[in-house]
């Protein structure tokens, strides 16, 4: 479902990957975080919403013209590669110890981007893909879902350019979007920045592939949130620097700092 | 114009609304979202002697009528609090009450001394009631002697007002409260969260990484409200009510049960504007009820004598 929201107070700027925290009614204690999936020329905010539970259903049932309360834009978004910065490694790559000295970067070649999204993760990269296209970055798009019906590739800019994967093989590549990316990214140069959003297992797998190819990688994470502003420490994930909040330190993290879920490196509880 | 200020434990609060520890961070996280001039005091995230990483995530679960948290006192530790967070909190236009937790009375004393001597600190909240920290023996919050030892040590370490935050989960909360009062606490905060859990039936696993967490939100209100009523009969020090307040009427229930002030926490998550809504509502109620000082509501459900009487002729 695409929800278009006209704001009473316009957002000054929105970084791709930032989110809004939406009040879905008094029945639910927490707001629901949604990636800003788009900004219309009139400054309206677009949210791409998957119906999951009571909160999202309440939004789906709103009549056109209903009022909503939301906070935003919140959190840290993606670092956009700069098409003009030929030969310059992205900021993400510089701070990535695993990528340093890996695949040699094509000197003088403009940085490229690969956007990989699983399921409703498309919502987290839709604005990013749009900005990348607008800035002229050579961008490859990969989208996966369980079935053809669940694919959200059509919501992206230039949907014809999207390569799709389904778990059941009902459309496109038969397998996960990470498998598709692995198969098709062999020829991408090392100065490609990989951007991912989707289920955590998919992102952890994507980080491994990007790391092996020496590619910088940024991932947008999702966790249940309470405050949305870094106060309550409820939405933390494990990083090499300890627990960090998805709402304030993220939702976008450099893949090199994330500790894969379920790995032995996860911070021991206090 | 109704005077919304109230005096608790020697502190003059601009309003009886305080923001509960753990929900407002160190304060600046909510700068721009809350009008802090309408907040009587913020209670900062509990500080411990050393930094704590907190519990394994997931740390949050929603419930009908509330939520569970198992944060586990993640905090920057005393040094980080003194060098950075306390000064930031002190710049907000409200009073700062620092929540502290140690493992021994000596640790509580060191924390109170170091934090209490700072000018930004208006008072200290002794957190003897976090449900998310494991202890080998009987939990501190259920142990009157243990709580008395903590308060005694803290009392020697600072002259600043001491707020003792109790747990609703002790079999005999009254004995704990009375022990705290006798040991020198200036006020009681009644109360912290109740232990609880939820299970995801698809994965067949507890929803919280720590399995158990603290229940907060509206589901907790009747429980802590009854405690305020009972404890206000047995202690002489003021009580700060806490648990599930999300509307003006909820706050008034606590005051009428005997609380002098109240804390709001979980309700901030759905709506930081709850501060304005509750404070505006208090002013309206006071006008309607002909009350010129909010302390007039304290214990009103018990028809006790209070310093401010009804001014309305009828």
């Amino acid at each position: 479902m695409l929800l278009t929201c006209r704001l009473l107070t316009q957002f000054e700027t929105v970084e791709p990957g930032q989110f809004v925290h939406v009040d879905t009614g008094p029945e639910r204690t927490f707001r629901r975080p949604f990636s800003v999936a788009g900004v219309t020329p009139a400054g309206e905010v677009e949210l791409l919403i998957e119906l999951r539970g009571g909160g999202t259903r309440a939004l789906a049932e709103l009549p056109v013209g209903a009022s909503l309360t939301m906070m935003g834009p919140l959190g840290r978004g993606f670092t956009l590669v700069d098409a003009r910065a030929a030969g310059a490694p992205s900021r993400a790559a510089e701070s990535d110890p695993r990528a340093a000295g890996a695949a040699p970067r094509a000197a003088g070649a403009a940085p490229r981007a690969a956007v990989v999204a699983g399921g409703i993760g498309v919502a987290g990269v839709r604005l990013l893909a749009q900005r990348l296209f607008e800035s002229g970055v050579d961008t490859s798009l990969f989208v996966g879902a369980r079935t053809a019906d669940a694919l959200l590739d059509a919501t992206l800019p230039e949907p014809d350019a999207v390569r799709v994967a389904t778990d059941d093989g009902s459309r496109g590549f038969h397998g996960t979007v990470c498998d598709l990316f692995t198969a098709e990214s062999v020829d991408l140069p090392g100065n490609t920045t990989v951007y991912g959003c989707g289920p955590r297992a998919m992102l952890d797998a994507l980080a491994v592939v990007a790391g092996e190819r020496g590619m910088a990688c940024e991932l947008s994470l999702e966790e249940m949130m309470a405050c949305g502003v870094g106060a309550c420490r409820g939405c933390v994930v494990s990083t090499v620097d300890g627990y960090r909040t998805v709402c304030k330190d993220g939702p976008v993290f450099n893949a090199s700092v994330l500790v894969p879920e379920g790995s032995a490196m996860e911070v021991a509880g206090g | 114009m109704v005077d919304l200020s109230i005096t608790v434990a020697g502190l003059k609060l601009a309003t009886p609304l305080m923001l509960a520890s753990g929900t407002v961070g160190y304060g600046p996280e909510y700068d721009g979202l809350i009008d802090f001039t309408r907040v009587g005091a913020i209670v900062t995230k509990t500080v411990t002697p050393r930094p704590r990483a907190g519990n394994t995530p997931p740390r949050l679960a929603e419930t009908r009528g509330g939520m569970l948290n198992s944060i586990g006192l993640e905090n920057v530790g005393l040094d980080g609090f003194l060098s950075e967070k306390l000064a930031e909190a002190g710049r907000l236009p409200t009073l700062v009450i620092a929540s502290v937790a140690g493992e021994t009375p000596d640790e509580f004393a060191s924390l109170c001394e170091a934090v209490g001597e700072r000018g930004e600190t208006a008072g200290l909240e002794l957190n003897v009631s976090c449900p998310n920290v494991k202890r080998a023996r009987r939990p501190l919050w259920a142990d009157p002697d243990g709580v008395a030892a903590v308060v005694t040590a803290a009392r020697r370490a600072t002259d600043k007002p001491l707020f003792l935050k109790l747990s609703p989960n002790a079999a005999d909360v009254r004995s704990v409260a009375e022990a705290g009062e006798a040991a020198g606490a200036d006020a009681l905060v009644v109360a912290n969260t109740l232990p609880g859990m939820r299970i995801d039936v698809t994965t067949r696993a507890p929803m919280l990484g720590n399995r158990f967490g603290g229940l907060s939100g509206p589901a907790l209100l009747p429980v802590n409200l009854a405690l305020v009523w009972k404890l206000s009969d047995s202690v002489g020090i003021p009580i700060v009510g806490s648990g599930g307040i999300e509307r003006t009427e909820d706050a008034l229930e606590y005051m009428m049960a005997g609380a002098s002030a109240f804390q709001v926490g979980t309700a901030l998550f759905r709506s930081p504007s709850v501060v304005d809504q509750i404070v505006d509502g208090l002013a309206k109620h006071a006008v309607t009820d002909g009350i010129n000082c909010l302390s007039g509501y304290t214990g009103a459900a018990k028809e006790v004598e209070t310093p401010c009487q009804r001014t309305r002729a009828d």
Side-chain angles (χ1 to χ4, degrees):
Chain A
M1 176 182 69
L2 189 69
L3 197 69
T4 304
C5 309
R6 189 181 309 140
L7 305 178
L8 293 181
T9 313
Q10 296 268 343
F11 295 157
E12 280 180 26
T13 56
V14 181
E15 289 173 32
Q18 285 189 302
F19 69 97
V20 290
H21 214 25
V22 181
D23 182 350
T24 66
E27 299 82 11
R28 284 158 294 277
T29 306
F30 299 146
R31 290 182 176 220
R32 299 292 187 262
F34 298 105
S35 297
V36 177
V39 181
T40 68
E44 296 153 330
V45 165
E46 293 176 317
L47 309 179
L48 196 56
I49 295 172
E50 178 184 52
L51 298 191
R52 275 190 192 172
T56 48
R57 271 201 305 276
L59 293 179
E61 287 163 6
L62 287 175
V64 171
S67 294
L68 271 180
T69 303
M70 62 173 70
M71 296 195 287
L74 299 172
R76 283 169 52 118
F78 291 104
T79 314
L80 253 70
V81 298
D82 187 348
R84 292 158 301 179
S90 71
R91 196 180 88 194
E94 278 176 60
S95 60
D96 183 348
R98 290 183 213 164
R105 299 182 191 285
R112 297 177 50 120
V115 176
V116 186
I120 192 61
V122 168
V125 297
R126 187 169 173 262
L127 183 60
L128 170 77
Q130 191 186 326
R131 296 269 170 94
L132 287 168
F133 280 124
E134 282 168 7
S135 61
V137 176
D138 192 345
T139 302
S140 313
L141 298 175
F142 303 88
V143 168
R146 287 202 184 87
T147 64
D149 289 347
L151 278 167
L152 291 168
D153 55 307
T155 67
L156 287 171
E158 308 199 22
D160 294 344
V162 179
R163 273 161 278 185
V164 301
T166 49
D167 293 350
D168 65 355
S170 51
R171 207 183 119 205
F173 179 85
H174 188 172
T176 70
V177 70
C178 189
D179 293 339
L180 171 65
F181 172 76
T182 307
E184 300 220 357
S185 61
V186 180
D187 299 328
L188 288 176
N191 68 342
T192 301
T193 297
V194 181
Y195 299 98
C197 186
R200 185 61 198 268
M202 171 213 136
L203 298 181
D204 285 341
L206 186 63
V208 171
V209 178
E212 286 169 358
R213 308 247 157 109
M215 296 172 178
C217 181
E218 292 193 338
L219 303 173
S220 176
L221 305 191
E222 179 177 49
E223 284 292 331
M224 182 171 280
M225 285 177 192
C227 72
V229 294
C232 75
R233 318 301 299 177
C235 62
V236 298
V237 291
S238 290
T239 76
V240 294
D241 303 315
Y243 289 131
R244 289 291 179 268
T245 57
V246 171
C247 71
K248 185 81 181 282
D249 303 315
V252 175
F253 292 88
N254 192 313
S256 64
V257 306
L258 290 173
V259 176
E261 208 163 64
S263 84
M265 279 172 70
E266 275 202 272
V267 182
Chain B
M1 182 67 192
V2 184
D3 178 11
L4 298 178
S5 71
I6 209 148
T7 300
V8 179
L11 295 178
K12 189 176 181 190
L13 311 184
T15 73
L17 184 151
M18 300 165 64
L19 297 179
S21 180
T23 61
V24 67
Y26 300 98
E29 293 90 339
Y30 275 97
D31 205 7
L33 293 169
I34 291 173
D35 178 357
F36 283 100
T37 65
R38 314 194 81 192
V39 173
I42 60 165
V43 188
T44 50
K45 177 79 190 160
T46 297
V47 62
T48 55
R50 289 159 294 283
R52 284 177 60 97
N55 286 329
T56 307
R59 294 174 171 182
L60 299 171
E62 221 171 18
T63 67
R64 283 191 290 277
M67 61 173 281
L68 296 169
N69 88 82
S70 60
I71 310 297
L73 297 187
E74 175 178 343
N75 79 98
V76 297
L78 181 61
D79 291 347
F81 183 73
L82 293 174
S83 64
E84 186 187 347
K85 303 297 183 184
L86 182 55
E88 289 175 15
R91 283 194 280 273
L92 297 170
T94 186
L95 297 183
V96 176
I97 293 173
S99 172
V100 298
E103 288 181 13
T104 63
D106 283 350
E107 283 192 357
F108 270 96
S110 316
L111 289 162
C112 287
E113 186 175 4
V115 177
E117 69 182 21
R118 288 282 294 266
E120 298 94 332
T121 307
L124 292 131
E125 185 174 276
L126 304 173
N127 181 2
V128 297
S129 49
C130 178
N132 292 321
V133 179
K134 292 184 185 70
R135 283 171 66 94
R137 301 182 298 110
R138 172 157 73 143
L140 177 60
W141 67 71
D143 176 3
D145 294 338
V147 168
V150 164
V151 177
T152 300
R155 183 73 288 163
R156 287 199 197 106
T158 182
D159 293 330
K160 297 271 171 79
L162 293 176
F163 292 73
L164 176 64
K165 187 167 185 178
L166 301 176
S167 167
N169 195 41
D172 185 4
V173 185
R174 178 183 292 186
S175 295
V176 179
E178 288 172 352
E181 179 182 29
D186 298 290
L188 301 177
V189 180
V190 181
N192 211 316
T193 58
L194 270 177
M197 79 179 299
R198 291 202 68 189
I199 289 172
D200 182 324
V201 296
T202 307
T203 62
R204 303 186 174 193
M207 288 189 187
L208 296 172
N210 192 49
R211 291 189 190 151
F212 312 112
L215 174 69
S216 62
L220 186 61
L221 187 144
V223 176
N224 287 6
L225 184 69
L227 271 180
V228 168
W229 179 287
K230 290 175 189 165
L231 293 180
S232 62
D233 288 336
S234 58
V235 299
I237 51 177
I239 290 175
V240 180
S242 180
I245 296 175
E246 53 180 22
R247 305 177 304 162
T248 304
E249 289 74 18
D250 300 336
L252 285 173
E253 285 195 55
Y254 273 101
M255 294 188 76
M256 290 178 180
S260 300
F262 57 89
Q263 294 187 355
V264 174
T266 299
L268 279 181
F269 299 149
R270 196 169 67 75
S271 182
S273 64
V274 71
V275 170
D276 286 328
Q277 287 162 18
I278 290 177
V279 173
D280 287 344
L282 284 176
K284 276 186 197 149
H285 271 273
V287 168
T288 307
D289 295 342
I291 280 182
N292 61 9
C293 172
L294 292 180
S295 61
Y297 284 121
T298 298
K302 295 174 168 174
E303 298 177 312
V304 293
E305 293 281 311
T306 53
C308 292
Q309 293 298 309
R310 282 169 179 260
T311 55
R312 206 161 54 183
D314 59 0

